[in-house]
Amino acid sequence: MEISFAESERSTVGIEWEVALVDRSSGDLVSVAGEVLEALRQGDGSEHPQITGELLLNTVELVTRVHHTIGDAVDDLLSQLDEVRAITDPLDVELMCAGSHPFAQWFDQTVTDKERYHRLIDRTQWWGRNMMIWGIHVHVGVESRDKVLPLLDGLLTYYPHLQALSASSPFWGGVNTGYASNRALMFQQLPTAGLPYQFTTWAAYEQYVADMTVTGIIDDYTEVRWDIRPSPKWGTVEMRACDGLSSPQEIGAVAALIQCLVDHMSGELDAGRELVTLQPWFTRENKWRAARYGLDAEIILNPAGDERLVTDEIRDLLVILAPTAEKLGCSAELAQVNLILEHGASYQRQLRVAAENGGSLHAVVSSLTHELRHGLGG
């Protein structure tokens, strides 16, 4: 099976943002995506070109165009968010983004009436119905197919940094899970989801897709739902590991970090230098540690097994990537990583709000909708 990789300009960026719909008074999820998307139809009756549905009717997804800078991509998302709010505000529906909803129950949610979603649920059953989770996906353009798999392996080394910064799913069905990101461990239960295999050649990736297709596990490569994956249609590497982010500043910060990492590592490859690549058992352990402990995780840094607190690593990484951020025009957004470190990641803020309000998860939802409307610290 031959999988062509589209031409793409180096380090261009696109972002996909899954946003939950919640009742303004109760804070519970509401399945009104169908009405929202219908109201957003274009003058000719066609669907909105960038705002789409998802697996569950409690969600809309905002998808940017291709941009050169993170600032432009975030502005694109915020413009779409305004379009959605013009529909949802009169319905007394608020918008929220986190890796999970603090107290909603999966069995109360309605699956979108599309064949591919029905097939997914029919196959995955209980686990599929439990996918009441939200994330943010960041695509970064890669100009050469030969770079894709080395970049994917290199990004795995920084997986815990990104997971810890974005972790926003400490609650599940009204329960404090004890995890910073319960979403990370939930999503990997789906077939083909979770950490990617570390292939050394594009032909090996093509053989994997062929094997998965001939056995009926997937229909095509788009159903390979790895946490980090090639996106051949768009000519990108797609980072899918991050929990949903509740504020524009966090989206800008995390997306800038991803864009800078990819561009920096691409430069290392151009210079003939190998990227730091961890053993698969180390990448798996790092994922678990970041999901469990978030910004308090001690992560594995290199094949020798050296370890360090992830926040110390992040601060050093910001210094290393500063010249790349300046080149890409995202210095301001990259600096907002410090805003997350100062205010706490979303999982920390949610836990703090619950503690300050007698354990009220309704208060947590209110804080999340406030952050999305007014920004982090607003």
Side-chain angles (χ1 to χ4, degrees), residues 118-359:
H118 289 311
R119 287 201 311 269
L120 174 66
I121 296 300
D122 182 62
R123 182 169 191 232
T124 59
Q125 292 295 303
W126 190 87
W127 281 115
R129 288 289 284 121
N130 264 274
M131 291 298 114
M132 191 176 62
I133 52 179
W134 297 269
I136 188 163
H137 302 165
V138 179
H139 291 258
V140 181
V142 180
E143 76 279 14
S144 169
R145 193 189 73 177
D146 292 342
K147 287 185 174 181
V148 172
L149 295 178
L151 286 172
L152 189 151
D153 288 349
L155 281 170
L156 281 171
T157 303
Y158 297 98
Y159 184 110
H161 307 60
L162 296 163
Q163 178 69 81
L165 284 168
S166 68
S168 61
S169 47
F171 299 106
W172 185 262
V175 175
N176 182 344
T177 65
Y179 282 78
S181 174
N182 193 56
R183 170 192 170 273
L185 304 183
M186 287 291 300
F187 188 61
Q188 69 183 17
Q189 303 307 318
L190 291 183
T192 76
L195 292 168
Y197 295 101
Q198 293 172 244
F199 296 122
T200 56
T201 66
W202 189 258
Y205 167 68
E206 290 174 325
Q207 185 60 57
Y208 165 81
V209 174
D211 290 346
M212 300 293 277
T213 304
V214 76
T215 52
I217 299 169
I218 62 174
D219 290 330
D220 58 61
Y221 66 78
T222 64
E223 294 182 356
V224 176
R225 298 181 176 92
W226 293 336
D227 295 338
I228 317 173
R229 68 179 181 181
S231 190
K233 178 181 178 181
W234 305 114
T236 64
V237 167
E238 181 184 2
M239 171 57 72
R240 300 158 49 88
C242 299
D243 277 13
L245 295 163
S246 66
S247 68
Q249 296 101 318
E250 289 169 290
I251 293 172
V254 171
L257 183 54
I258 294 167
Q259 185 192 32
C260 288
L261 278 169
V262 173
D263 189 81
H264 175 76
M265 290 190 293
S266 186
E268 292 294 286
L269 293 173
D270 289 340
R273 291 187 284 268
E274 289 189 6
L275 305 179
V276 176
T277 301
L278 299 179
Q279 300 92 313
W281 41 94
F282 281 175
T283 62
R284 183 168 298 277
E285 174 64 15
N286 270 347
K287 175 178 180 175
W288 187 88
R289 292 185 187 186
R292 170 64 177 89
Y293 301 109
L295 290 174
D296 291 320
E298 293 272 347
I299 62 169
I300 303 167
L301 305 178
N302 51 43
D306 295 322
E307 299 170 274
R308 196 180 184 207
L309 183 66
V310 68
T311 48
D312 291 339
E313 275 296 297
I314 290 170
R315 289 188 176 95
D316 284 355
L317 189 58
L318 295 180
V319 175
I320 293 170
L321 295 178
T324 303
E326 185 174 358
K327 179 184 71 172
L328 296 175
C330 65
S331 295
E333 288 80 14
L334 186 65
Q336 288 177 332
V337 169
N338 288 308
L339 198 63
I340 301 175
L341 299 179
E342 291 165 9
H343 286 266
S346 180
Y347 78 93
Q348 294 171 314
R349 304 195 305 271
Q350 291 179 53
L351 292 169
R352 186 163 61 238
V353 168
E356 292 171 351
N357 289 274

Side-chain angles (χ1 to χ4, degrees), residues 57-128:
L57 284 176
N58 56 36
T59 303
V60 292
E61 183 177 40
L62 316 182
V63 181
T64 72
R65 296 180 176 87
V66 178
H67 293 281
H68 288 88
T69 68
I70 297 298
D72 285 345
V74 173
D75 286 345
D76 190 345
L77 289 176
L78 294 180
S79 177
Q80 294 177 52
L81 198 67
D82 288 342
E83 291 187 70
V84 174
R85 285 200 190 281
I87 309 302
T88 56
D89 280 355
L91 298 175
D92 286 331
V93 171
E94 266 291 357
L95 305 179
M96 184 202 90
C97 188
S100 63
H101 188 282
F103 62 82
Q105 298 294 339
W106 64 268
F107 46 77
D108 290 330
Q109 311 311 313
T110 305
V111 176
T112 300
D113 188 17
K114 287 189 176 181
E115 178 60 30
R116 66 190 180 104
Y117 294 140
H118 289 311
R119 287 201 311 269
L120 174 66
I121 296 300
D122 182 62
R123 182 169 191 232
T124 59
Q125 292 295 303
W126 190 87
W127 281 115

